Amino acid sequence: MTLLEQLNTDMKQAMKDKDKEKLGVIRMVKASLQNEAIKQGNDSLSEDDELTVLSRELKQRKDSLQEFKAAGRDDLVSKLDVEISVLQAYMPKQLSEQELEEVVRNTIQEVNATSKKEMGKVMSAIMPKVKGKADGSSINKLVLKHLDN
Protein backbone atom coordinates (compact mmCIF):
# COMPACT_ATOMS: atom_id res chain seq x y z
CA MET A 1 0.00 0.00 0.00
CA THR A 2 1.42 3.34 -1.02
CA LEU A 3 1.61 6.26 1.38
CA LEU A 4 -1.22 8.08 -0.40
CA GLU A 5 -3.48 5.00 -0.18
CA GLN A 6 -2.62 4.65 3.52
CA LEU A 7 -3.39 8.32 4.11
CA ASN A 8 -6.76 7.99 2.33
CA THR A 9 -7.67 4.94 4.42
CA ASP A 10 -6.62 6.64 7.65
CA MET A 11 -8.46 9.82 6.64
CA LYS A 12 -11.71 7.89 6.21
CA GLN A 13 -11.20 6.23 9.58
CA ALA A 14 -10.45 9.57 11.26
CA MET A 15 -13.68 10.96 9.79
CA LYS A 16 -15.66 7.99 11.15
CA ASP A 17 -13.97 8.37 14.54
CA LYS A 18 -14.53 12.15 14.48
CA ASP A 19 -10.83 12.60 15.27
CA LYS A 20 -10.39 16.21 14.14
CA GLU A 21 -6.70 16.51 15.05
CA LYS A 22 -5.65 13.41 13.13
CA LEU A 23 -7.88 14.33 10.21
CA GLY A 24 -6.34 17.79 9.99
CA VAL A 25 -2.79 16.41 9.99
CA ILE A 26 -3.61 13.80 7.34
CA ARG A 27 -5.21 16.43 5.10
CA MET A 28 -2.17 18.67 5.54
CA VAL A 29 0.21 15.83 4.61
CA LYS A 30 -1.88 14.93 1.56
CA ALA A 31 -1.85 18.57 0.45
CA SER A 32 1.93 18.76 0.89
CA LEU A 33 2.39 15.57 -1.15
CA GLN A 34 0.13 16.86 -3.91
CA ASN A 35 1.88 20.24 -3.94
CA GLU A 36 5.25 18.52 -4.25
CA ALA A 37 3.97 16.37 -7.14
CA ILE A 38 2.67 19.47 -8.91
CA LYS A 39 5.95 21.28 -8.27
CA GLN A 40 7.83 18.39 -9.87
CA GLY A 41 5.34 18.18 -12.73
CA ASN A 42 4.38 14.56 -11.98
CA ASP A 43 1.12 12.79 -11.25
CA SER A 44 2.62 10.99 -8.28
CA LEU A 45 5.76 10.96 -6.18
CA SER A 46 8.35 8.25 -5.69
CA GLU A 47 8.68 6.69 -2.23
CA ASP A 48 11.87 8.68 -1.75
CA ASP A 49 10.09 11.95 -2.57
CA GLU A 50 7.20 11.06 -0.26
CA LEU A 51 9.67 10.39 2.52
CA THR A 52 11.34 13.75 1.85
CA VAL A 53 8.01 15.57 2.20
CA LEU A 54 7.12 13.67 5.39
CA SER A 55 10.55 14.38 6.88
CA ARG A 56 10.24 18.08 6.03
CA GLU A 57 6.79 18.30 7.67
CA LEU A 58 8.03 16.49 10.77
CA LYS A 59 11.12 18.69 11.03
CA GLN A 60 9.01 21.85 10.73
CA ARG A 61 6.85 20.72 13.61
CA LYS A 62 9.78 19.73 15.79
CA ASP A 63 11.40 23.12 15.18
CA SER A 64 8.13 24.90 16.01
CA LEU A 65 7.76 22.77 19.12
CA GLN A 66 11.09 24.04 20.45
CA GLU A 67 10.09 27.64 19.72
CA PHE A 68 6.71 27.27 21.42
CA LYS A 69 8.26 25.61 24.48
CA ALA A 70 10.75 28.46 24.77
CA ALA A 71 7.91 30.98 24.49
CA GLY A 72 5.81 29.15 27.08
CA ARG A 73 2.95 28.47 24.67
CA ASP A 74 1.68 25.23 26.25
CA ASP A 75 -1.56 25.35 24.24
CA LEU A 76 0.38 25.14 20.98
CA VAL A 77 2.89 22.63 22.39
CA SER A 78 0.16 20.05 23.06
CA LYS A 79 -1.32 20.57 19.57
CA LEU A 80 2.10 20.05 17.97
CA ASP A 81 2.73 16.93 20.07
CA VAL A 82 -0.39 15.38 18.54
CA GLU A 83 0.66 16.38 15.02
CA ILE A 84 4.17 14.96 15.54
CA SER A 85 2.82 11.64 16.80
CA VAL A 86 0.50 11.34 13.78
CA LEU A 87 3.34 12.13 11.37
CA GLN A 88 5.72 9.69 13.04
CA ALA A 89 3.25 6.87 12.40
CA TYR A 90 3.96 7.25 8.66
CA MET A 91 7.74 7.46 9.00
CA PRO A 92 9.97 4.40 8.67
CA LYS A 93 11.25 2.75 11.83
CA GLN A 94 13.92 4.97 13.38
CA LEU A 95 17.45 3.65 13.80
CA SER A 96 18.62 2.94 17.32
CA GLU A 97 21.56 4.88 18.76
CA GLN A 98 23.87 1.87 18.22
CA GLU A 99 22.74 1.33 14.61
CA LEU A 100 23.20 5.01 13.87
CA GLU A 101 26.64 5.04 15.45
CA GLU A 102 27.64 2.04 13.31
CA VAL A 103 26.45 3.76 10.11
CA VAL A 104 28.41 6.90 11.05
CA ARG A 105 31.62 4.95 11.78
CA ASN A 106 31.35 2.93 8.56
CA THR A 107 30.68 6.01 6.45
CA ILE A 108 33.62 7.90 7.97
CA GLN A 109 35.84 4.96 7.02
CA GLU A 110 34.34 4.77 3.51
CA VAL A 111 35.11 8.41 2.73
CA ASN A 112 38.42 8.33 4.64
CA ALA A 113 37.51 11.39 6.69
CA THR A 114 39.91 12.37 9.44
CA SER A 115 39.02 15.93 10.46
CA LYS A 116 36.08 18.27 10.94
CA LYS A 117 36.98 19.89 7.62
CA GLU A 118 35.55 16.81 5.89
CA MET A 119 32.25 17.01 7.76
CA GLY A 120 30.31 17.95 4.61
CA LYS A 121 31.67 14.98 2.71
CA VAL A 122 30.69 12.61 5.52
CA MET A 123 27.22 14.11 5.96
CA SER A 124 26.47 13.98 2.23
CA ALA A 125 27.44 10.28 2.22
CA ILE A 126 25.41 9.42 5.34
CA MET A 127 22.14 11.24 4.70
CA PRO A 128 20.94 9.10 1.75
CA LYS A 129 21.60 5.95 3.82
CA VAL A 130 19.50 7.06 6.78
CA LYS A 131 16.88 9.19 5.06
CA GLY A 132 13.79 9.33 7.24
CA LYS A 133 15.27 6.89 9.73
CA ALA A 134 17.24 9.36 11.83
CA ASP A 135 17.25 13.03 12.76
CA GLY A 136 19.86 15.15 11.00
CA SER A 137 20.95 16.93 14.17
CA SER A 138 21.68 13.66 16.00
CA ILE A 139 23.67 12.43 12.99
CA ASN A 140 25.58 15.72 12.97
CA LYS A 141 26.50 15.33 16.66
CA LEU A 142 27.69 11.75 16.14
CA VAL A 143 29.81 12.69 13.13
CA LEU A 144 31.41 15.54 15.10
CA LYS A 145 32.09 13.19 18.00
CA HIS A 146 33.81 10.64 15.76
CA LEU A 147 35.78 13.22 13.77
CA ASP A 148 37.16 14.73 16.99
CA ASN A 149 38.88 11.48 17.90
Side-chain angles (χ1 to χ4, degrees), residues 105-118:
R105 267 191 258 113
N106 291 341
T107 306
I108 288 173
Q109 289 174 354
E110 283 173 24
V111 298
N112 296 320
T114 55
S115 69
K116 286 183 183 180
K117 292 178 186 174
E118 298 169 298

Side-chain angles (χ1 to χ4, degrees), residues 61 64-65 68-69 71-83:
R61 273 150 192 78
S64 296
L65 185 66
F68 291 150
K69 281 182 180 178
R73 294 292 308 265
D74 296 332
D75 54 328
L76 296 174
V77 168
S78 60
K79 181 179 183 278
L80 275 178
D81 281 335
V82 170
E83 289 184 14

Side-chain angles (χ1 to χ4, degrees), residues 35-60:
N35 287 341
E36 186 68 23
I38 290 168
K39 187 171 139 186
Q40 292 183 5
N42 297 328
D43 290 336
S44 61
L45 296 173
S46 68
E47 277 188 44
D48 199 38
D49 290 335
E50 290 175 343
L51 189 57
T52 301
V53 172
L54 270 178
S55 297
R56 182 173 52 227
E57 293 294 331
L58 190 58
K59 183 179 182 336
Q60 285 175 352

Side-chain angles (χ1 to χ4, degrees), residues 56-141:
R56 182 173 52 227
E57 293 294 331
L58 190 58
K59 183 179 182 336
Q60 285 175 352
R61 273 150 192 78
K62 285 183 177 180
D63 291 346
S64 296
L65 185 66
Q66 297 306 315
E67 296 291 322
F68 291 150
K69 281 182 180 178
R73 294 292 308 265
D74 296 332
D75 54 328
L76 296 174
V77 168
S78 60
K79 181 179 183 278
L80 275 178
D81 281 335
V82 170
E83 289 184 14
I84 288 170
S85 65
V86 170
L87 284 172
Q88 284 177 330
Y90 298 103
M91 295 295 288
K93 181 183 170 287
Q94 298 294 295
L95 293 174
S96 70
E97 190 72 29
Q98 292 81 16
E99 292 170 323
L100 191 55
E101 188 135 359
E102 187 176 321
V103 170
V104 168
R105 267 191 258 113
N106 291 341
T107 306
I108 288 173
Q109 289 174 354
E110 283 173 24
V111 298
N112 296 320
T114 55
S115 69
K116 286 183 183 180
K117 292 178 186 174
E118 298 169 298
M119 176 94 177
K121 185 165 65 169
V122 174
M123 290 299 288
S124 62
I126 288 177
M127 291 314 284
K129 295 178 185 178
V130 297
K131 188 171 197 165
K133 297 178 187 173
D135 181 48
S137 61
S138 57
I139 295 168
N140 195 333
K141 289 174 189 167

